Amino acid sequence: MIQLQSLSRTIQVVLLFFSLFGLFNLTFADPPYNICSNTTNYTADSLFQYNLNHVLSNLISNASVSKFYNDSSVNDTDTVYGLFMCLGYITNENCLNCITMASQDILQLCPYDTEAVVWEEVCHLRYSNQNFIGHLDVTGNIGKDNIINISEPKQFDSLVNVTLSNLTKKAAFDPSANKYATGEVTFLDSDTLYALVQCTGDLSADDCSACLQAAIKDIPSCCYASRGARVLSRSCYLRYELYAFYEGQTENSAPDPNKGKRTGSQRKILVTVSLSIVSASLAVVSLGICLCCFAKKVRNERGNVAELIDPTLTDSCRPDEFSLYIHIGLLCVQQDANDRPTMSSVAVMLRSETSTLSQPQRPPFSVGRFGADDNSCSVNGVTTSDAFPRVVVSIM
């Protein structure tokens, strides 16, 4: 007979492993990023919710034809203002896809907030009950750095500042630039710095310049000595890398003139991050295995999911939350990788009380050996015929 308490202990250990690696709060590492007001709220089925849905719908419908748009639904008490900005180098189709995703994420990440902003990879979306259209706002800027350091930080920092300042002047004061500018500059004869700046279309030239200058000043505190960074502001955006990200290149696809010359600290960072990712991946697989075993137990004995909760946790763990964790775990180990949610989506699911989850499909492995009476289960008792996923680690 399966020892439920033993299985419960196993899943507790796996969940603890998740917590230690921050998997319950991944938005710090992967878009979407968000800021919620957390001060005033609207209620379900209220006039504010109706106006918000109307504004979001209008923003989405215009994302296929424009990289910037603002809209409002105005009345005496429940006015909603909204805007979006897509980065200038993406296609209209990708802009539409990004804003559609952002409109879903902002409602999940900031449920019932009267003011919120969310940044996706190539766009951002904002709404408020206060009129912010045409008003500069540099509060709460978010800085994100590339985890790999540069070997000559002082020289690099100086070049970054000069390049971003020149691009700021172009984006803000050149009418043909449309508040968007990119540029590339050689660094130490071996690398090329690629930089981008952009302001929302509602800002004046002076406010656009002020927004980008404030973002540039944020770089030393968040991203000094990093080979790349981005600063996310409500009113503007900047980014720089040593690869042509606005031409479709990624860190891995870009040619590396310094390959094999990384410093010891850089290798340490790469190895640490690689091991963390592998360990976290193994935790996901382990959790999925435990959950599959739990699911078989419930099916075979026709029991209730609540019976799987450790008795010592019954006062602090709600059955509906426990069912949600099991559901999400099973989604993460589906056979088709395209059906599995991203870890940033998992973070949204864990925080949302309103999202509708799809039904998980079959996982790509068999869990344990079940006897004729289906009363035994062992995570370690996998036979050689079981199709287990393999993890391949490569450190370059």
Side-chain angles (χ1 to χ4, degrees):
M1 180 177 180
I2 298 177
Q3 299 297 317
L4 288 181
Q5 190 168 13
S6 174
L7 286 174
S8 297
R9 295 294 183 189
T10 301
I11 200 171
Q12 286 178 57
V13 172
V14 176
L15 290 176
L16 175 61
F17 199 83
F18 267 69
S19 300
L20 290 174
F21 280 94
L23 294 180
F24 279 102
N25 190 21
L26 284 177
T27 51
F28 78 94
D30 236 355
Y33 313 108
N34 65 283
I35 297 178
C36 309
S37 63
N38 296 321
T39 53
T40 57
N41 301 96
Y42 63 88
T43 58
D45 300 321
S46 63
L47 180 58
F48 186 93
Q49 185 178 54
Y50 174 83
N51 290 338
L52 175 59
N53 290 336
H54 178 73
V55 168
L56 292 178
S57 177
N58 285 345
L59 294 178
I60 293 172
S61 64
N62 281 275
S64 62
V65 295
S66 176
K67 302 294 174 59
F68 171 82
Y69 189 78
N70 66 75
D71 190 47
S72 61
S73 184
V74 181
N75 55 49
D76 293 336
T77 58
D78 293 291
T79 298
V80 178
Y81 302 88
L83 66 72
F84 74 79
M85 180 182 79
C86 290
L87 297 183
Y89 65 89
I90 69 171
T91 65
N92 287 339
E93 181 182 1
N94 287 337
C95 181
L96 173 61
N97 293 337
C98 190
I99 297 304
T100 301
M101 181 184 301
S103 66
Q104 297 169 358
D105 288 341
I106 202 169
L107 295 177
Q108 292 181 329
L109 294 170
C110 303
Y112 301 110
D113 281 7
T114 56
E115 182 177 3
V117 57
V118 64
W119 291 269
E120 303 287 350
E121 182 67 27
V122 291
C123 71
H124 89 261
L125 175 68
R126 180 184 179 191
Y127 75 80
S128 176
N129 60 341
Q130 302 295 320
N131 187 2
F132 61 85
I133 307 299
H135 299 286
L136 173 64
D137 189 347
V138 293
T139 60
N141 285 3
I142 299 175
K144 297 294 176 183
D145 64 333
N146 188 312
I147 63 171
I148 303 175
N149 288 342
I150 198 74
S151 58
E152 301 290 343
K154 289 185 178 179
Q155 291 176 261
F156 188 65
D157 183 60
S158 177
L159 181 65
V160 166
N161 271 279
V162 170
T163 303
L164 291 176
S165 295
N166 290 337
L167 292 177
T168 293
K169 294 175 184 177
K170 180 178 180 181
F173 300 110
D174 183 350
S176 65
N178 239 5
K179 296 189 171 63
Y180 169 79
T182 62
E184 56 189 74
V185 183
T186 301
F187 176 61
L188 297 182
D189 298 324
S190 59
D191 286 311
T192 301
L193 172 70
Y194 298 86
L196 176 154
V197 299
Q198 186 169 346
C199 296
T200 56
D202 59 318
L203 292 187
S204 67
D206 287 336
D207 282 347
C208 176
S209 177
C211 186
L212 290 171
Q213 288 177 27
I216 294 171
K217 291 179 180 178
D218 288 335
I219 292 173
S221 61
C222 75
C223 315
Y224 179 74
S226 172
R227 61 185 278 129
R230 66 187 83 182
V231 177
L232 316 175
S233 170
R234 288 175 170 87
S235 300
C236 62
Y237 173 95
L238 68 79
R239 182 180 181 185
Y240 61 89
E241 303 283 356
L242 291 181
Y243 59 92
F245 60 92
Y246 51 77
E247 295 176 358
Q249 283 189 359
T250 64
E251 184 88 50
N252 293 329
S253 68
D256 184 4
N258 298 312
K259 187 174 182 180
K261 300 179 182 180
R262 293 191 176 102
T263 65
S265 60
Q266 291 170 342
R267 292 193 189 96
K268 181 178 180 181
I269 291 173
L270 287 173
V271 171
T272 301
V273 172
S274 298
L275 291 177
S276 297
I277 293 173
V278 170
S279 299
S281 301
L282 290 174
V284 173
V285 174
S286 299
L287 179 60
I289 293 171
C290 291
L291 293 176
C292 286
C293 200
F294 277 11
K296 282 193 175 183
K297 167 66 181 176
V298 174
R299 182 197 65 192
N300 293 335
E301 297 194 1
R302 298 181 181 178
N304 191 299
V305 170
E307 298 173 4
L308 302 176
I309 302 176
D310 192 308
T312 61
L313 301 177
T314 52
D315 293 335
S316 60
C317 181
R318 289 166 25 200
D320 58 331
E321 289 182 344
F322 190 75
S323 297
L324 174 65
Y325 298 152
I326 290 180
H327 196 135
I328 293 173
L330 293 175
L331 288 175
C332 291
V333 292
Q334 294 178 98
Q335 184 166 9
D336 188 342
N338 294 321
D339 292 334
R340 302 170 197 161
T342 62
M343 295 312 294
S344 56
S345 298
V346 169
V348 172
M349 294 177 193
L350 288 169
R351 278 193 293 267
S352 175
E353 296 181 357
T354 58
S355 60
T356 301
L357 305 181
S358 60
Q359 288 301 311
Q361 303 300 314
R362 180 185 178 187
F365 47 74
S366 300
V367 181
R369 283 191 298 233
F370 286 79
D373 56 358
D374 274 349
N375 283 328
S376 63
C377 175
S378 171
V379 172
N380 295 321
V382 181
T383 66
T384 55
S385 60
D386 290 327
F388 236 82
R390 296 181 179 178
V391 179
V392 178
V393 183
S394 176
I395 299 177
M396 295 183 292

